[in-house]
Amino acid sequence: MKKVAILIIQISLLSVSFCFSQSKDPVVESIVKEATEHSQLEKLAHELLDVIGPRLVGSPQMQQAHDWAVAKYKDWNISAKNEKWGEWRGWERGVSHIEMVSPRVKSLEGMQLAWSPGTGGKAVTADVIIVPDVADSIAFQKWLPTAKGKFVMISMNQPTGRPDYNWQEFATKESFDKMKKQRDAQTEAWTNRLRKTGHTTRTLPVALEKAGAAGIVMCYWSKGFGANKIFGAYTKKIPTIDISLEDYGLLYRLTESGHTPRISVRADAKETGVSGTFNTIGEIKGTEKPNEYVILSAHFDSWDGGTGATDNGTGTIVMMEAMRILKKVYPNPKRTILVGHWGSEEQGLNGSRAFVEDHPEIVQNIQAVFNQDNGTGRVINLSGQGFLNAYDYLGRWLVKVPETIKAPIELKFPGIPGGGGSDFASFVAAGAPAFSLSSLNWSYGTYTWHTNRDTYDKIVFDDVRSNAILTAILAYQASEDPVKTSREKSVLPLGAKGEPATWPEPRKPTRRGGLD
């Protein structure tokens, strides 16, 4: 590795454009025309998100999605297959019915968490209590028998259901500051309350389950109107349900004031045994350099509070649409173009890590990987991921991209290698030039990332169409480039100890998950 100090350069693509010829390219023009006039994005999104739905690893819907993708590629005359890389706990979500039956009757908004035990096809009705504020773990152990037969609330009651931006728009500064101060104090007090039980948020539900609780009730608010994060349950026998901030607050206040609420929960779920886990791989074979690879990359799985629309349905359909367009207007690429729809990204980049581990012959001959994962917005950031000469080849390829698409993109060279976050990092760790097509925010972290609101209606198809065009042109240019991309790495910035940071190391995938 050449000893070159890292220098991060942020430049607009307008300045890059002057360095290279901008002659018209008929393939680029055909890509834009096909994407604009014959887009399949809305159809793909409907079939994947509305018909198949969320794609939790190990679920029947995940397998259905893999089979659907293979069939789509074959319809487009693209070779495709499902490649098994491991196994996971099989589980299928059913309906969740949650009602308050006392002190009055009300339907509650909520759902069971992923992998939650069901209620055996019947409703479980019980009083609701709040995890207590005890002196220490010994006192908590003495309290635990109280939980028997009860639904136990384990989340803090939020002091406001309005996001901060709403307060900033309408509240006085004094009122906003007062709310934040109260919320900070309440959050600290709740953290101490849980700490004194002697348990973490992971082990507390298990302790309550062992004590005979009827179920776990929680609220993981995403700090936006109506949005909750929906992750996985830690219980094995009793249901774990997440309830909206509004209804959770209602139950909490009734409990706290002595008007003990009673709820009825029916959570249908089915254990389906051990399920295979797969990556779906599509291929357009190269004509001149078939053993060198351009890879389009997007994780296929999702959490299942919504339908996984922006995480990562949009990345998925971008790569599928790019492959469809390339097959139609550029059917004989010089290098082989692969698409990887990775499984179990949400549990630790497992599908892409398995691919990297299982296919060293491909990884060592990668020209470039283009990954898209973070929402529905148009691409606005592209980092060189620490590859010293990435500015050279990325700059050449981007010149062909229409000005309206490339102008907003900020380049960061040489950048810092990503150690995680999405599947490009699996390739970067192995030394392969892999890049994240990072997109405009669209309130992703608050409203759609892992939430119950990540659904078809949040997709901004004009932005997604722009990304499909960008991806197809980059893949075309990477395939055509007569020069093999450099893998020379930058010397990384100094860390906390005054020594250069180290390049990420490849990590092993979890090939058998959720079965302990």
Side-chain angles (χ1 to χ4, degrees), residues 53-213:
R55 300 160 303 284
L56 186 72
V57 61
S59 69
Q61 290 74 28
M62 184 76 253
Q63 186 61 55
Q64 186 180 353
H66 282 302
D67 295 339
W68 168 83
V70 168
K72 278 293 174 187
Y73 283 122
K74 290 184 177 179
D75 284 347
W76 300 331
N77 294 316
I78 296 172
S79 174
K81 63 181 180 180
N82 289 329
E83 185 173 283
K84 185 176 179 180
W85 56 264
E87 296 176 327
W88 216 269
R89 174 186 173 186
W91 182 86
E92 184 174 13
R93 174 185 293 279
V95 298
S96 300
H97 291 302
I98 308 170
E99 288 89 27
M100 181 173 72
V101 297
S102 178
R104 58 187 175 88
V105 175
K106 182 184 187 301
S107 294
L108 304 178
E109 181 187 1
M111 66 175 68
Q112 63 189 311
L113 297 189
W115 298 296
S116 170
T119 57
K122 60 184 180 181
V124 175
T125 303
D127 290 349
V128 176
I129 61 174
I130 302 168
V131 66
D133 189 6
V134 294
D136 51 31
S137 60
I138 296 174
F140 181 71
Q141 289 297 319
K142 292 180 180 178
W143 173 87
L144 266 178
T146 307
K148 187 173 182 179
K150 307 290 198 309
F151 282 104
V152 185
M153 305 178 78
I154 65 168
S155 299
M156 184 182 89
N157 179 34
Q158 295 291 336
T160 178
R162 295 184 180 275
D164 281 4
Y165 68 77
N166 196 239
W167 279 81
Q168 287 173 321
E169 183 176 1
F170 295 108
T172 64
K173 183 180 184 302
E174 292 76 15
S175 180
F176 186 29
D177 288 344
K178 177 183 176 182
M179 185 279 293
K180 289 191 292 183
K181 184 176 180 181
Q182 291 174 338
R183 185 174 61 192
D184 288 345
Q186 190 174 336
T187 301
E188 182 179 2
W190 187 264
T191 300
N192 288 332
R193 175 185 291 218
L194 293 186
R195 179 183 54 78
K196 287 185 290 184
T197 68
H199 290 282
T200 66
T201 54
R202 179 181 289 265
T203 63
L204 180 58
V206 177
L208 293 168
E209 179 177 59
K210 289 180 179 177

Side-chain angles (χ1 to χ4, degrees), residues 418-489:
S422 192
D423 295 293
F424 71 93
S426 301
F427 295 91
V428 169
F435 308 101
S436 174
L437 304 176
S438 298
S439 66
L440 197 64
N441 187 277
W442 280 98
S443 299
Y444 174 69
T446 298
Y447 280 106
T448 61
W449 181 70
H450 300 168
T451 76
N452 55 335
R453 297 295 186 248
D454 191 12
T455 46
Y456 179 101
D457 52 285
K458 308 307 186 303
I459 298 175
V460 181
F461 280 103
D462 285 343
D463 281 11
V464 176
R465 208 169 342 269
S466 172
N467 294 345
I469 293 170
L470 172 66
T471 301
I473 294 173
L474 288 175
Y476 158 57
Q477 288 294 287
S479 174
E480 287 286 302
D481 199 323
V483 180
K484 184 78 180 295
T485 52
S486 167
R487 297 189 173 203
E488 188 173 2
K489 301 172 183 176

Side-chain angles (χ1 to χ4, degrees), residues 366-381:
I366 286 174
Q367 176 78 340
V369 177
F370 301 108
N371 184 80
Q372 216 279 316
D373 183 11
N374 62 333
T376 190
R378 60 193 176 277
V379 173
I380 58 168
N381 283 294

Side-chain angles (χ1 to χ4, degrees), residues 50 52 97 288 387 442:
D50 291 341
I52 296 173
H97 291 302
E288 295 184 15
F387 292 100
W442 280 98

Side-chain angles (χ1 to χ4, degrees), residues 272-288:
T272 58
V274 179
S275 299
T277 51
F278 300 86
N279 294 321
T280 296
I281 309 296
E283 178 184 73
I284 304 174
K285 196 73 173 178
T287 56
E288 295 184 15

